[in-house]
């Protein structure tokens, strides 16, 4: 046998051994650095840690520092203008609402009207007006904004088949109906990219799939934001409220959960006609929520940390009444940051001498609507 023949036998035996050997366990494989972490700076490959380092040097040029009310009012004026610019601004001219009522229904405790109106050219909003039967008008009115899910159906008692449901379920618990149970009217609106306000491709993916991507991505490409678009819809909703005699346009509140809490925060900060706000499952810091945990693209405002944190935006609501609630087991808006952010907002209210009209409730639960103290708070401060 030649050396060449012997080599072939050895190679063939090795191949046979490898073929019969147990396959390598790759179930715990996490990436190309497995087995090499002791040779590299592991933290240097973590993009969240990288952004946290950048956050440490974020400018926050307009973060609240005022010591007296006069200076605080000037701070609000300047920051409100900056936030308006950052979210993309709002149309100078408002188009006619061209309201159409689609349906009127009666329920044991409230009337429900389905309607649509034009917010911008070629952009329409669907809403439900719920008015309590137990109270005579004109009614204190709350603009209600749902979070991610099926959209406005999730807060007005409509199930996944389009039918009325008797029980309040889901993480939003039909809070627009709860508003009527506290003696106020609710105007529940469909946010852009939720529910019926989605593109055809997204609709095919099911009721719970939002169209925030690509819509919010398109907004960014245009130098605008989904937050700005949704806030403007709230502004136009108040325009609509002003056309209804049974509603008290001087006593308008705003409330929402999760993404609806985002919209409530920014809308209440930028729209002075909102007299009281209830923020559920949102008030936190940008660092600890949208910079640390995977969130929808609709949460982001380019460049905002050059100027302010989330608690500064919420501080623009002062001295109007504000209530914040958070679940202690919320895994996307960590409770420690919610508490810390609230304390920062409270300092703004203290400078305004309005610390009696700001409250927070935390509860033993996950990311969900609670309302135990928040709804009575709204009713009290809207004169319901």
């Amino acid at each position: 046998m030649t050396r060449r023949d012997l080599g072939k036998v050895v190679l063939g035996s090795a191949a046979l051994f490898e073929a019969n050997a147990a396959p390598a366990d790759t179930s715990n494989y996490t990436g190309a650095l497995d087995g090499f972490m002791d040779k590299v700076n592991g933290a240097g490959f973590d993009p969240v840690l990288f952004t946290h380092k950048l956050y440490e040097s974020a400018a926050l040029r307009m973060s609240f520092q005022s010591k007296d009310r006069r200076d605080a009012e000037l701070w609000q004026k300047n920051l409100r203008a900056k936030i308006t610019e950052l979210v993309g601004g709002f149309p100078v001219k408002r188009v006619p609402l061209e309201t159409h009522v689609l349906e009127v229904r009666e329920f044991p405790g409230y009337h429900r009207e389905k309607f649509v109106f034009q917010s911008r050219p070629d952009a329409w909003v669907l809403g439900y007006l719920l008015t309590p039967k137990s109270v005579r008008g004109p009614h204190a009115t709350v603009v209600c904004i749902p979070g991610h899910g099926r959209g406005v159906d999730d807060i007005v008692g409509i199930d996944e088949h389009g039918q009325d449901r008797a029980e309040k379920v889901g993480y939003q618990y039909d809070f627009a109906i709860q508003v009527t149970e506290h003696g106020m009217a609710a105007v529940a609106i469909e946010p852009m990219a939720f529910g019926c306000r989605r593109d055809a491709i997204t609709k095919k993916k099911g009721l719970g799939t939002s169209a925030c991507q690509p819509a919010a991505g398109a907004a960014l490409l245009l130098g605008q934001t989904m937050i700005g678009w949704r806030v403007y819809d709230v502004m136009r909703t108040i325009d609509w409220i002003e056309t209804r005699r049974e509603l008290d346009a001087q006593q308008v509140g705003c409330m929402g959960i999760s993404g609806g809490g985002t919209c409530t925060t920014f809308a209440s900060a930028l729209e002075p006609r909102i007299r009281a706000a209830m923020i559920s499952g949102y008030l936190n810091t940008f660092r600890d929520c949208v910079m640390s945990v995977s969130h929808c693209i609709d949460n982001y405002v380019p460049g905002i940390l050059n100027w302010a944190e989330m608690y500064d935006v919420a501080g623009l609501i002062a001295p109007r009444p504000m209530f914040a609630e958070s679940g202690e087991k919320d895994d996307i808006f960590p409770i420690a940051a919610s508490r810390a952010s609230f304390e920062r907002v409270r300092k703004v209210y203290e400078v305004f001498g309005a610390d009696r009209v700001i409250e927070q409730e935390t509860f033993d639960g996950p990311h969900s609507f609670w309302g135990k103290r928040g709804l009575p708070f709204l009713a009290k401060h809207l004169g319901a």
Side-chain angles (χ1 to χ4, degrees):
M1 178 180 291
T2 66
R3 290 183 178 179
R4 178 174 295 180
D5 292 336
L6 181 61
K8 289 179 179 179
V9 171
V10 172
L11 289 174
S13 299
L16 180 63
F17 174 79
E18 290 179 4
N20 293 326
D25 182 8
T26 60
S27 60
N28 295 320
Y29 180 72
T30 64
L33 287 178
D34 283 8
F36 299 95
M37 291 302 290
D38 59 335
K39 297 179 173 60
V40 299
N41 174 14
F45 291 86
D46 186 327
V48 172
L49 292 180
F50 171 71
T51 61
H52 285 181
K53 283 290 185 181
L54 294 178
Y55 179 89
E56 292 172 5
S57 58
L60 299 177
R61 297 184 184 95
M62 299 181 74
S63 194
F64 183 74
Q65 298 181 21
S66 303
K67 302 300 182 182
D68 59 70
R69 179 162 184 155
R70 181 178 179 181
D71 190 55
E73 289 175 344
L74 180 61
W75 168 79
Q76 284 188 325
K77 178 182 178 181
N78 292 334
L79 181 58
R80 190 171 285 120
K82 176 55 68 175
I83 297 298
T84 299
E85 173 192 332
L86 293 174
V87 300
F90 304 116
V92 175
K93 183 178 180 180
R94 300 192 178 188
V95 299
L97 292 169
E98 297 187 15
T99 303
H100 301 289
V101 176
L102 304 179
E103 177 186 70
V104 178
R105 296 277 306 280
E106 298 292 333
F107 294 85
Y110 59 92
H111 307 274
R112 192 181 78 193
E113 177 181 312
K114 182 191 294 187
F115 64 94
V116 295
F117 67 81
Q118 182 180 219
S119 180
R120 302 168 182 254
D122 302 316
W124 289 75
V125 176
L126 175 132
Y128 288 93
L129 168 63
L130 283 63
T131 51
K133 292 182 176 180
S134 60
V135 182
R136 295 181 60 185
H139 303 285
T141 304
V142 181
V143 179
C144 298
I145 311 163
H148 285 77
R150 294 182 300 118
V152 74
D153 284 359
D154 276 333
I155 65 174
V156 297
I158 299 173
D159 69 16
E160 61 272 17
H161 304 293
Q163 303 299 310
D164 303 323
R165 61 186 177 202
E167 295 185 24
K168 299 179 179 70
V169 296
Y171 83 98
Q172 308 192 68
Y173 296 103
D174 290 322
F175 67 79
I177 296 177
Q178 293 191 52
V179 167
T180 69
E181 293 169 350
H182 285 76
M184 300 171 285
V187 180
I189 61 172
E190 188 84 279
M192 174 82 80
F194 288 2
C196 67
R197 300 184 70 189
R198 299 178 298 156
D199 62 278
I201 294 175
T202 302
K203 286 181 179 179
K204 292 179 181 178
K205 298 178 182 179
L207 291 170
T209 304
S210 79
C212 297
Q213 177 73 315
L220 297 176
L221 292 175
L222 294 165
Q224 302 181 51
T225 63
M226 181 60 76
I227 288 177
W229 290 354
R230 290 175 178 165
V231 166
Y232 188 67
D233 285 345
V234 172
M235 294 175 173
R236 297 310 320 267
T237 300
I238 299 175
D239 291 344
W240 179 87
I241 290 170
E242 291 176 341
T243 70
R244 299 296 296 247
R245 296 177 59 185
E246 73 270 50
L247 305 180
D248 186 349
Q250 301 304 310
Q251 296 294 338
V252 173
C254 188
M255 66 181 295
I257 168 76
S258 193
T262 309
C263 188
T264 295
T265 301
F266 280 84
S268 301
L270 301 177
E271 173 53 83
R273 291 178 295 175
I274 295 173
R275 299 303 176 90
M278 179 182 170
I279 304 166
S280 178
Y282 176 69
L283 184 63
N284 206 266
T285 65
F286 294 125
R287 180 200 182 279
D288 291 284
C289 59
V290 299
M291 279 185 69
S292 300
V293 183
S294 180
H295 278 261
C296 180
I297 192 173
D298 65 354
N299 281 281
Y300 299 88
V301 177
I304 195 167
L305 287 173
N306 291 320
W307 306 97
E309 244 290 3
M310 190 187 297
Y311 44 74
D312 296 306
V313 179
L316 297 179
I317 303 171
R320 293 164 290 158
M322 190 201 86
F323 190 95
E325 66 173 23
S326 299
E328 293 164 4
K329 298 175 182 176
D330 192 328
D331 57 0
I332 57 175
F333 293 94
I335 189 61
S338 291
R339 289 181 172 129
S341 187
F342 176 80
E343 290 305 317
R344 296 292 294 260
V345 183
R346 187 200 294 276
K347 293 183 183 300
V348 180
Y349 275 75
E350 288 174 350
V351 171
F352 275 92
D355 51 308
R356 292 184 179 181
V357 298
I358 178 172
E359 295 183 23
Q360 181 185 41
E361 181 178 19
T362 65
F363 56 92
D364 182 17
H367 182 67
S368 60
F369 181 79
W370 186 245
K372 298 296 188 294
R373 284 173 46 199
L375 287 169
F377 177 94
L378 278 182
K380 173 184 176 181
H381 290 288
L382 292 176

mmCIF file of all heavy atoms in Angstrom, residues 265-296:
data_model
loop_
_atom_site.group_PDB
_atom_site.id
_atom_site.type_symbol
_atom_site.label_atom_id
_atom_site.label_comp_id
_atom_site.label_asym_id
_atom_site.label_seq_id
_atom_site.Cartn_x
_atom_site.Cartn_y
_atom_site.Cartn_z
ATOM 1 N N THR A 265 -50.118 62.950 26.760
ATOM 2 C CA THR A 265 -49.048 63.782 27.322
ATOM 3 C C THR A 265 -48.695 64.929 26.384
ATOM 4 O O THR A 265 -48.664 66.103 26.788
ATOM 5 C CB THR A 265 -47.799 62.925 27.597
ATOM 6 O OG1 THR A 265 -48.132 61.871 28.505
ATOM 7 C CG2 THR A 265 -46.675 63.772 28.192
ATOM 8 N N PHE A 266 -48.432 64.612 25.134
ATOM 9 C CA PHE A 266 -48.023 65.648 24.187
ATOM 10 C C PHE A 266 -49.187 66.580 23.845
ATOM 11 O O PHE A 266 -48.991 67.805 23.734
ATOM 12 C CB PHE A 266 -47.445 65.015 22.921
ATOM 13 C CG PHE A 266 -46.015 64.571 23.063
ATOM 14 C CD1 PHE A 266 -45.704 63.344 23.616
ATOM 15 C CD2 PHE A 266 -44.980 65.386 22.660
ATOM 16 C CE1 PHE A 266 -44.382 62.929 23.762
ATOM 17 C CE2 PHE A 266 -43.648 65.003 22.794
ATOM 18 C CZ PHE A 266 -43.353 63.756 23.357
ATOM 19 N N ALA A 267 -50.390 66.039 23.686
ATOM 20 C CA ALA A 267 -51.536 66.891 23.360
ATOM 21 C C ALA A 267 -51.835 67.853 24.509
ATOM 22 O O ALA A 267 -52.080 69.047 24.289
ATOM 23 C CB ALA A 267 -52.765 66.036 23.056
ATOM 24 N N SER A 268 -51.815 67.356 25.737
ATOM 25 C CA SER A 268 -52.103 68.214 26.887
ATOM 26 C C SER A 268 -51.008 69.257 27.083
ATOM 27 O O SER A 268 -51.268 70.364 27.555
ATOM 28 C CB SER A 268 -52.261 67.361 28.150
ATOM 29 O OG SER A 268 -53.310 66.423 27.998
ATOM 30 N N ALA A 269 -49.781 68.907 26.710
ATOM 31 C CA ALA A 269 -48.672 69.858 26.807
ATOM 32 C C ALA A 269 -48.806 70.986 25.792
ATOM 33 O O ALA A 269 -48.428 72.135 26.071
ATOM 34 C CB ALA A 269 -47.344 69.129 26.590
ATOM 35 N N LEU A 270 -49.371 70.689 24.614
ATOM 36 C CA LEU A 270 -49.374 71.649 23.505
ATOM 37 C C LEU A 270 -50.728 72.298 23.236
ATOM 38 O O LEU A 270 -50.784 73.287 22.516
ATOM 39 C CB LEU A 270 -48.889 70.947 22.231
ATOM 40 C CG LEU A 270 -47.479 70.324 22.295
ATOM 41 C CD1 LEU A 270 -47.163 69.615 20.991
ATOM 42 C CD2 LEU A 270 -46.425 71.376 22.610
ATOM 43 N N GLU A 271 -51.815 71.757 23.805
ATOM 44 C CA GLU A 271 -53.157 72.270 23.546
ATOM 45 C C GLU A 271 -53.761 72.822 24.840
ATOM 46 O O GLU A 271 -54.200 72.075 25.714
ATOM 47 C CB GLU A 271 -54.035 71.149 22.984
ATOM 48 C CG GLU A 271 -55.510 71.493 22.823
ATOM 49 C CD GLU A 271 -55.751 72.761 22.025
ATOM 50 O OE1 GLU A 271 -55.761 72.709 20.786
ATOM 51 O OE2 GLU A 271 -55.934 73.822 22.683
ATOM 52 N N PRO A 272 -53.801 74.157 24.997
ATOM 53 C CA PRO A 272 -54.288 74.754 26.248
ATOM 54 C C PRO A 272 -55.775 74.558 26.501
ATOM 55 O O PRO A 272 -56.238 74.759 27.633
ATOM 56 C CB PRO A 272 -53.946 76.239 26.090
ATOM 57 C CG PRO A 272 -53.847 76.457 24.613
ATOM 58 C CD PRO A 272 -53.301 75.178 24.051
ATOM 59 N N ARG A 273 -56.556 74.161 25.482
ATOM 60 C CA ARG A 273 -57.982 73.935 25.710
ATOM 61 C C ARG A 273 -58.240 72.673 26.530
ATOM 62 O O ARG A 273 -59.350 72.481 27.033
ATOM 63 C CB ARG A 273 -58.725 73.860 24.376
ATOM 64 C CG ARG A 273 -58.800 75.179 23.627
ATOM 65 C CD ARG A 273 -59.521 75.022 22.288
ATOM 66 N NE ARG A 273 -58.775 74.166 21.365
ATOM 67 C CZ ARG A 273 -59.224 73.779 20.169
ATOM 68 N NH1 ARG A 273 -60.444 74.165 19.772
ATOM 69 N NH2 ARG A 273 -58.481 73.025 19.385
ATOM 70 N N ILE A 274 -57.229 71.831 26.675
ATOM 71 C CA ILE A 274 -57.356 70.655 27.541
ATOM 72 C C ILE A 274 -57.185 71.123 28.975
ATOM 73 O O ILE A 274 -56.129 71.619 29.358
ATOM 74 C CB ILE A 274 -56.315 69.584 27.168
ATOM 75 C CG1 ILE A 274 -56.609 69.055 25.767
ATOM 76 C CG2 ILE A 274 -56.314 68.447 28.197
ATOM 77 C CD1 ILE A 274 -55.548 68.099 25.227
ATOM 78 N N ARG A 275 -58.221 70.955 29.788
ATOM 79 C CA ARG A 275 -58.231 71.503 31.146
ATOM 80 C C ARG A 275 -57.714 70.531 32.197
ATOM 81 O O ARG A 275 -57.370 70.941 33.300
ATOM 82 C CB ARG A 275 -59.651 71.949 31.508
ATOM 83 C CG ARG A 275 -60.213 73.040 30.588
ATOM 84 C CD ARG A 275 -59.305 74.269 30.574
ATOM 85 N NE ARG A 275 -59.747 75.292 29.644
ATOM 86 C CZ ARG A 275 -60.596 76.278 29.959
ATOM 87 N NH1 ARG A 275 -61.096 76.345 31.176
ATOM 88 N NH2 ARG A 275 -60.943 77.162 29.046
ATOM 89 N N ALA A 276 -57.680 69.236 31.886
ATOM 90 C CA ALA A 276 -57.174 68.232 32.830
ATOM 91 C C ALA A 276 -56.748 67.010 32.042
ATOM 92 O O ALA A 276 -57.332 66.686 31.005
ATOM 93 C CB ALA A 276 -58.244 67.867 33.855
ATOM 94 N N ALA A 277 -55.713 66.319 32.538
ATOM 95 C CA ALA A 277 -55.174 65.172 31.820
ATOM 96 C C ALA A 277 -55.015 63.983 32.742
ATOM 97 O O ALA A 277 -54.648 64.127 33.915
ATOM 98 C CB ALA A 277 -53.820 65.530 31.202
ATOM 99 N N MET A 278 -55.285 62.791 32.199
ATOM 100 C CA MET A 278 -55.011 61.543 32.901
ATOM 101 C C MET A 278 -54.127 60.685 32.008
ATOM 102 O O MET A 278 -54.548 60.269 30.925
ATOM 103 C CB MET A 278 -56.296 60.800 33.243
ATOM 104 C CG MET A 278 -56.027 59.480 33.957
ATOM 105 S SD MET A 278 -57.535 58.566 34.328
ATOM 106 C CE MET A 278 -56.808 56.997 34.848
ATOM 107 N N ILE A 279 -52.899 60.427 32.456
ATOM 108 C CA ILE A 279 -51.905 59.681 31.686
ATOM 109 C C ILE A 279 -51.769 58.302 32.306
ATOM 110 O O ILE A 279 -51.309 58.162 33.440
ATOM 111 C CB ILE A 279 -50.552 60.410 31.690
ATOM 112 C CG1 ILE A 279 -50.709 61.837 31.157
ATOM 113 C CG2 ILE A 279 -49.524 59.631 30.891
ATOM 114 C CD1 ILE A 279 -49.505 62.732 31.439
ATOM 115 N N SER A 280 -52.169 57.282 31.579
ATOM 116 C CA SER A 280 -52.128 55.911 32.089
ATOM 117 C C SER A 280 -51.056 55.108 31.359
ATOM 118 O O SER A 280 -50.996 55.104 30.130
ATOM 119 C CB SER A 280 -53.499 55.244 31.902
ATOM 120 O OG SER A 280 -53.479 53.899 32.353
ATOM 121 N N GLY A 281 -50.205 54.445 32.126
ATOM 122 C CA GLY A 281 -49.232 53.538 31.532
ATOM 123 C C GLY A 281 -48.273 54.184 30.565
ATOM 124 O O GLY A 281 -47.912 53.567 29.551
ATOM 125 N N TYR A 282 -47.832 55.409 30.856
ATOM 126 C CA TYR A 282 -46.859 56.047 29.957
ATOM 127 C C TYR A 282 -45.810 56.865 30.688
ATOM 128 O O TYR A 282 -44.616 56.680 30.443
ATOM 129 C CB TYR A 282 -47.558 56.933 28.929
ATOM 130 C CG TYR A 282 -46.568 57.679 28.052
ATOM 131 C CD1 TYR A 282 -45.786 56.992 27.117
ATOM 132 C CD2 TYR A 282 -46.380 59.051 28.166
ATOM 133 C CE1 TYR A 282 -44.854 57.650 26.325
ATOM 134 C CE2 TYR A 282 -45.457 59.724 27.369
ATOM 135 C CZ TYR A 282 -44.689 59.023 26.458
ATOM 136 O OH TYR A 282 -43.771 59.679 25.678
ATOM 137 N N LEU A 283 -46.195 57.779 31.574
ATOM 138 C CA LEU A 283 -45.225 58.711 32.153
ATOM 139 C C LEU A 283 -44.016 57.955 32.700
ATOM 140 O O LEU A 283 -44.143 57.107 33.572
ATOM 141 C CB LEU A 283 -45.872 59.549 33.256
ATOM 142 C CG LEU A 283 -44.956 60.628 33.850
ATOM 143 C CD1 LEU A 283 -44.554 61.652 32.798
ATOM 144 C CD2 LEU A 283 -45.622 61.311 35.027
ATOM 145 N N ASN A 284 -42.838 58.288 32.177
ATOM 146 C CA ASN A 284 -41.615 57.552 32.462
ATOM 147 C C ASN A 284 -40.454 58.460 32.075
ATOM 148 O O ASN A 284 -40.602 59.687 32.119
ATOM 149 C CB ASN A 284 -41.625 56.235 31.655
ATOM 150 C CG ASN A 284 -40.808 55.140 32.280
ATOM 151 O OD1 ASN A 284 -39.631 54.956 31.955
ATOM 152 N ND2 ASN A 284 -41.417 54.377 33.192
ATOM 153 N N THR A 285 -39.333 57.890 31.686
ATOM 154 C CA THR A 285 -38.274 58.664 31.031
ATOM 155 C C THR A 285 -38.000 58.019 29.679
ATOM 156 O O THR A 285 -38.159 56.803 29.517
ATOM 157 C CB THR A 285 -36.966 58.681 31.854
ATOM 158 O OG1 THR A 285 -36.441 57.349 31.931
ATOM 159 C CG2 THR A 285 -37.196 59.246 33.239
ATOM 160 N N PHE A 286 -37.596 58.834 28.725
ATOM 161 C CA PHE A 286 -37.237 58.279 27.424
ATOM 162 C C PHE A 286 -36.098 57.259 27.580
ATOM 163 O O PHE A 286 -36.073 56.234 26.898
ATOM 164 C CB PHE A 286 -36.812 59.384 26.462
ATOM 165 C CG PHE A 286 -37.924 60.327 26.093
ATOM 166 C CD1 PHE A 286 -37.780 61.697 26.273
ATOM 167 C CD2 PHE A 286 -39.112 59.855 25.572
ATOM 168 C CE1 PHE A 286 -38.796 62.581 25.934
ATOM 169 C CE2 PHE A 286 -40.139 60.727 25.226
ATOM 170 C CZ PHE A 286 -39.982 62.097 25.416
ATOM 171 N N ARG A 287 -35.180 57.538 28.492
ATOM 172 C CA ARG A 287 -34.050 56.638 28.696
ATOM 173 C C ARG A 287 -34.498 55.239 29.100
ATOM 174 O O ARG A 287 -34.022 54.233 28.560
ATOM 175 C CB ARG A 287 -33.110 57.177 29.772
ATOM 176 C CG ARG A 287 -31.906 56.272 30.033
ATOM 177 C CD ARG A 287 -31.272 56.549 31.385
ATOM 178 N NE ARG A 287 -30.092 55.720 31.600
ATOM 179 C CZ ARG A 287 -30.118 54.441 32.003
ATOM 180 N NH1 ARG A 287 -31.284 53.850 32.231
ATOM 181 N NH2 ARG A 287 -28.996 53.775 32.179
ATOM 182 N N ASP A 288 -35.418 55.161 30.065
ATOM 183 C CA ASP A 288 -35.750 53.866 30.654
ATOM 184 C C ASP A 288 -36.840 53.108 29.913
ATOM 185 O O ASP A 288 -37.013 51.911 30.146
ATOM 186 C CB ASP A 288 -36.162 54.061 32.110
ATOM 187 C CG ASP A 288 -34.982 54.472 32.973
ATOM 188 O OD1 ASP A 288 -34.148 53.617 33.290
ATOM 189 O OD2 ASP A 288 -34.874 55.675 33.308
ATOM 190 N N CYS A 289 -37.582 53.797 29.030
ATOM 191 C CA CYS A 289 -38.583 53.047 28.261
ATOM 192 C C CYS A 289 -38.148 52.929 26.806
ATOM 193 O O CYS A 289 -37.573 51.911 26.417
ATOM 194 C CB CYS A 289 -39.980 53.649 28.422
ATOM 195 S SG CYS A 289 -40.165 55.368 27.918
ATOM 196 N N VAL A 290 -38.362 53.941 25.993
ATOM 197 C CA VAL A 290 -38.158 53.765 24.548
ATOM 198 C C VAL A 290 -36.688 53.659 24.143
ATOM 199 O O VAL A 290 -36.387 53.224 23.031
ATOM 200 C CB VAL A 290 -38.854 54.884 23.729
ATOM 201 C CG1 VAL A 290 -40.348 54.867 23.981
ATOM 202 C CG2 VAL A 290 -38.269 56.251 24.036
ATOM 203 N N MET A 291 -35.752 54.019 25.031
ATOM 204 C CA MET A 291 -34.331 53.818 24.735
ATOM 205 C C MET A 291 -33.820 52.478 25.242
ATOM 206 O O MET A 291 -32.703 52.087 24.900
ATOM 207 C CB MET A 291 -33.485 54.936 25.357
ATOM 208 C CG MET A 291 -33.441 56.219 24.561
ATOM 209 S SD MET A 291 -32.314 57.437 25.271
ATOM 210 C CE MET A 291 -30.727 56.664 24.973
ATOM 211 N N SER A 292 -34.623 51.795 26.051
ATOM 212 C CA SER A 292 -34.132 50.575 26.702
ATOM 213 C C SER A 292 -34.915 49.322 26.338
ATOM 214 O O SER A 292 -34.393 48.211 26.478
ATOM 215 C CB SER A 292 -34.168 50.762 28.228
ATOM 216 O OG SER A 292 -33.354 51.842 28.633
ATOM 217 N N VAL A 293 -36.153 49.482 25.931
ATOM 218 C CA VAL A 293 -37.026 48.352 25.631
ATOM 219 C C VAL A 293 -37.604 48.563 24.235
ATOM 220 O O VAL A 293 -37.877 49.699 23.840
ATOM 221 C CB VAL A 293 -38.171 48.261 26.671
ATOM 222 C CG1 VAL A 293 -39.043 47.037 26.407
ATOM 223 C CG2 VAL A 293 -37.613 48.225 28.094
ATOM 224 N N SER A 294 -37.810 47.476 23.507
ATOM 225 C CA SER A 294 -38.361 47.593 22.157
ATOM 226 C C SER A 294 -39.761 48.196 22.189
ATOM 227 O O SER A 294 -40.671 47.664 22.824
ATOM 228 C CB SER A 294 -38.418 46.215 21.488
ATOM 229 O OG SER A 294 -38.937 46.309 20.186
ATOM 230 N N HIS A 295 -39.932 49.329 21.526
ATOM 231 C CA HIS A 295 -41.204 50.034 21.450
ATOM 232 C C HIS A 295 -41.537 50.333 19.992
ATOM 233 O O HIS A 295 -40.664 50.300 19.125
ATOM 234 C CB HIS A 295 -41.148 51.352 22.237
ATOM 235 C CG HIS A 295 -41.365 51.202 23.701
ATOM 236 N ND1 HIS A 295 -42.572 51.445 24.317
ATOM 237 C CD2 HIS A 295 -40.516 50.838 24.693
ATOM 238 C CE1 HIS A 295 -42.469 51.240 25.614
ATOM 239 N NE2 HIS A 295 -41.220 50.871 25.870
ATOM 240 N N CYS A 296 -42.786 50.678 19.767
ATOM 241 C CA CYS A 296 -43.227 51.020 18.420
ATOM 242 C C CYS A 296 -42.552 52.312 17.948
ATOM 243 O O CYS A 296 -42.258 53.216 18.750
ATOM 244 C CB CYS A 296 -44.748 51.177 18.411
ATOM 245 S SG CYS A 296 -45.424 51.613 16.796
#
